[in-house]
């Protein structure tokens, strides 16, 4: 496969996900001994950085602290949010516990809506299968609008497929689309609010992400023209919520 989009150490990929999803086990499987452990500047939060071979090129891989969302409560979550939204990786592998995927997928949607190319990694797939749980990977891929891969970090199962998807994503990144889970009145509401938001190249969050936050009644800060039209956005969002809930 041609890898014209990847240059040595110019691509930065992060592993992100909920605590106890097997994320660090996957990081160790991917990087082996090619990793460095330290602390993030100014905080006592552990950082893990490694090197990963993708398509014959060396890519930086960061193992972010576990987090449940982009609205941080702990020091670890604040670090993860900053690494995703301020430093802006080239791609994010969102690691999810296959046995309890809902909360992890909710986080994946947040990262995707922030405009970051993502791969959803359903880790510990062996435990899910042993419990009789079967996930339709094709259906999930279509619904979420991103690659979905099953892995078992401690055996390496699925890692080759994960690397193939990562190579494809870095070689030919696609514009991040709105997942198909946003349909009907929800989609209309998100698009309506998004249309009123100013395209601000200095903003760390995409307009669609900010629109979803306004729709949920929890806008993350005010950027661009949001301060000037905050009241209008509040009324528009409230009306949209009523439409969605009908």
């Amino acid at each position: 496969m041609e890898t014209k989009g990847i240059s040595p150490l110019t691509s930065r990929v992060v592993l992100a996900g909920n605590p106890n999803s097997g994320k660090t086990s996957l990081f160790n499987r991917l990087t082996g001994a090619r990793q460095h452990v330290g602390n993030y500047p100014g905080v006592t939060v552990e950082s893990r950085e490694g090197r990963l071979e993708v398509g014959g090129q060396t890519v930086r891989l960061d193992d972010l602290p576990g987090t449940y969302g982009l609205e941080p409560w702990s020091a670890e979550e604040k670090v993860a949010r900053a690494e995703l939204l301020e430093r802006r990786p080239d791609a994010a592998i969102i690691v999810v516990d296959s046995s309890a995927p809902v909360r992890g997928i909710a986080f994946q949607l947040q990262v995707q809506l922030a405009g970051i190319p993502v791969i959803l990694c359903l880790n510990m797939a062996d435990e899910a299968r042993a419990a009789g749980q079967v996930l339709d990977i094709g259906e999930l891929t279509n619904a979420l609008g991103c690659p979905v891969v099953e892995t078992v970090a401690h055996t390496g199962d699925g890692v080759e497929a994960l690397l193939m998807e990562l190579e494809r994503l870095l070689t030919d990144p696609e514009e991040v689309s709105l997942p198909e889970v946003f349909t009907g009145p929800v989609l209309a509401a998100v698009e309506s609010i998004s249309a009123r938001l100013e395209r601000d190249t200095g903003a760390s969050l995409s307009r669609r992400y900010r629109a979803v936050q306004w729709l949920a009644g929890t806008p993350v800060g005010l950027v661009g023209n949001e301060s000037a039209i905050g009241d209008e956005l509040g009324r528009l969002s409230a009306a949209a919520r009523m439409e969605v809930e009908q």
Side-chain angles (χ1 to χ4, degrees):
M1 181 182 294
E2 186 181 3
T3 57
K4 61 182 180 180
I6 310 176
S7 298
L9 296 186
T10 59
S11 294
R12 173 175 171 264
V13 178
V14 299
L15 284 179
N18 299 165
N20 304 314
S21 60
K23 177 172 57 61
T24 297
S25 294
L26 182 60
F27 175 79
N28 291 334
R29 170 67 63 175
L30 291 170
T31 61
R34 304 178 65 190
Q35 58 176 269
H36 170 75
V37 179
N39 286 318
Y40 288 97
V43 292
T44 56
V45 176
E46 187 176 80
S47 65
R48 291 176 180 270
E49 174 190 333
R51 296 291 183 265
L52 176 65
E53 293 298 320
V54 180
Q57 304 288 347
T58 303
V59 172
R60 173 173 169 168
L61 182 69
D62 290 348
D63 179 18
L64 302 188
T67 182
Y68 290 104
L70 293 179
E71 290 73 52
W73 293 94
S74 66
E76 288 79 9
E77 290 183 319
K78 288 178 181 177
V79 167
R81 184 183 194 275
E83 291 294 308
L84 284 164
L85 300 184
E86 295 173 17
R87 295 194 62 198
R88 307 291 297 183
D90 296 290
I93 300 172
I94 308 301
V95 185
V96 173
D97 178 357
S98 294
S99 300
V102 174
R103 196 167 190 180
I105 290 175
F107 172 60
Q108 171 260 318
L109 288 172
Q110 285 188 320
V111 177
Q112 187 174 351
L113 285 168
I116 298 170
V118 301
I119 298 172
L120 180 66
C121 176
L122 296 170
N123 196 31
M124 299 187 284
D126 56 336
E127 297 181 15
R129 287 193 288 267
Q133 182 172 328
V134 179
L135 297 173
D136 189 324
I137 302 304
E139 184 176 340
L140 269 176
T141 299
N142 291 333
L144 299 175
C146 72
V148 179
V149 179
E150 288 185 305
T151 60
V152 181
H154 68 91
T155 65
D157 288 353
V159 167
E160 184 176 348
L162 176 63
L163 290 176
M164 288 178 63
E165 289 293 351
L166 181 58
E167 181 181 357
R168 184 189 63 78
L169 199 64
L170 292 175
T171 301
D172 187 22
E174 300 175 355
E175 182 179 353
V176 179
S177 60
L178 199 65
E180 289 185 8
V181 292
F182 291 91
T183 59
V186 177
L187 177 61
V190 170
E191 296 291 7
S192 176
I193 298 169
S194 179
R196 295 294 295 119
L197 297 175
E198 186 177 81
R199 184 180 294 278
D200 185 349
T201 55
S204 61
L205 297 173
S206 72
R207 286 192 298 171
R208 276 179 165 170
Y209 179 88
R210 287 166 16 231
V212 170
Q213 296 302 309
W214 275 100
L215 179 61
T218 56
V220 182
L222 298 175
V223 298
N225 64 340
E226 292 178 25
S227 296
I229 63 169
D231 290 343
E232 177 188 345
L233 287 172
R235 291 192 298 270
L236 179 61
S237 301
R241 282 195 297 275
M242 291 182 61
E243 178 69 21
V244 169
E245 292 167 0
Q246 287 180 354

